[in-house]
Amino acid sequence: MNKQRTLISLIAVGCFAACQTGQDNMQQKDIRLVTLAPGHFHAALVQKSMYPEVDSIVHVYAPEGSELNAHLALIDQYNTRADDPTRWEEVVYQGDDFLEKMLTERRGNVVVLAGNNQHKIDYISQSIDAGLNVLADKPMVINQAGFSALEAAFANASKNGVLLYDIMTERYEINTMLQKALSQLPDFFGGLATGSADNPAITKESVHHFFKEVSGNPLIRPAWFYDTKQQGEGLVDVTTHLVDLVQWESFPDQTIDYQNDIQLVGAKRWPTLVTPEQFTRSTGLDVVPAFLSETIDGNGNVAVFANGEINYVLKGVHAKVSVIWNFEAPQGTGDTHYSIMRGQYANLIIRQGAEEQYKPVLYVESTGERTAQAFEEALAAAIKQLGETYEGVAFESLGDGRYRINIPSSLVTTHEEHFAEVTKKYLSFLQSGSMPDWEVPNMIAKYYLTTKALEEAQTVTP
């Protein structure tokens, strides 16, 4: 049975009605969010901060259940925290017809999507067709059929004058930003190497965990998160971030034509085994649902194809991305990232292991093409130049041509804080009415590669 729960006062309702005037004028404070079927905590992280351009009233449309309750609990946590609380007022519609209700009522003009990836492209397409802007968590699609629908959605977004964008938080991690900036200084870096399949010019590896904490509390995963038909395999999930960073760092502000600029060299996939006890701990469920029965091995473990690797060539440069999912990180650790960009004069490396206390650290290594003195002088000049934008950045020698880039705490932000940065960027696009010319074709290229890689990897027995 459909139910509607209203969490705002009549005064707020009156304010919302008044705010509907001038709906299409994005220059005024009438950007109004609609959260659709929030099945992932990333939907709530968009609202961990307030934005001057955005109305404080957010309409939520979702089926009844624990996923909606968890979303609302996070919003309430942000509203009631002691330090800089938010002021969101959630108006909730619960019912199986939540999508139709959202499209009929049109209570907002920006749809926020983070949840079940099996249905996400349908939600995107229908929202775009209805003339609504969409800010979607990754991945927007998880297979080649979805990719075709995504291409059509982008075409319809252009026709309808709305903006479709995905949430690429890793662009706002300071070590990655500095890695990119240093690679764009030819006098220091010397340009990106071409590399080979065995020794790519750029490599990105990511290790994630099913069980973790979010905003200080244990994260309860929905059972469908372990179903790759709904969540998507590792090759099309976290690798979305990695492929995006390869494009964004290696060819900034350049348009990528997936039909001509990308050649897939190879892809592979393999499962993570989640024990029944781990499944219960992660989901709160005592029994593995029937829809996961095909993934259960002889020992009762759920085999999740969350791991994968893609080797490819982008605009003539060899690249490799890989993702690994373990159940839980060792005490005191967390998700980790490794990245290397190889240039003529320097290699730029991000590590996040025990030596770095599991915090990302950027290193610079000489390739030996310059004398030690010449290399250090070039590095000093590069850091001085970057200091105009990133105040306080410095370097220290570790010996043997290796240097650590030291970053002041004022420039370091957390993964959760990056969601606000992405949202602010998207809001600026809405206010200007457009995105940079390269954003849409590069999103299309990114999802072409991930879904094509999955298609190829699934033809090989792991």
Side-chain angles (χ1 to χ4, degrees), residues 145-189:
F147 171 72
S148 297
L150 183 64
E151 279 195 296
F154 274 115
N156 288 336
S158 177
K159 182 178 65 176
N160 293 338
V162 294
L163 301 183
L164 169 59
Y165 195 60
D166 60 356
I167 300 175
M168 292 289 100
T169 51
E170 298 309 303
R171 295 184 186 181
Y172 299 88
E173 199 283 313
I174 185 60
N175 292 277
T176 298
M177 295 166 70
L178 291 173
Q179 184 184 49
K180 174 188 178 184
L182 285 170
S183 75
Q184 296 304 308
L185 300 178
D187 290 343
F188 165 69
F189 188 61

Side-chain angles (χ1 to χ4, degrees), residues 270-326:
W270 63 97
T272 295
L273 299 181
V274 178
T275 68
E277 294 77 15
Q278 290 173 333
F279 185 84
T280 295
R281 187 179 173 206
S282 173
T283 64
L285 301 176
D286 294 330
V287 179
V288 177
F291 62 76
L292 286 170
S293 60
E294 294 181 0
T295 70
I296 299 176
D297 68 9
N299 296 316
N301 302 313
V302 180
V304 188
F305 276 90
N307 313 293
E309 178 181 291
I310 308 173
N311 284 273
Y312 63 107
V313 179
L314 175 64
K315 286 184 176 287
V317 172
H318 284 267
K320 182 178 76 172
V321 299
S322 61
V323 60
I324 294 173
W325 278 81
N326 299 319

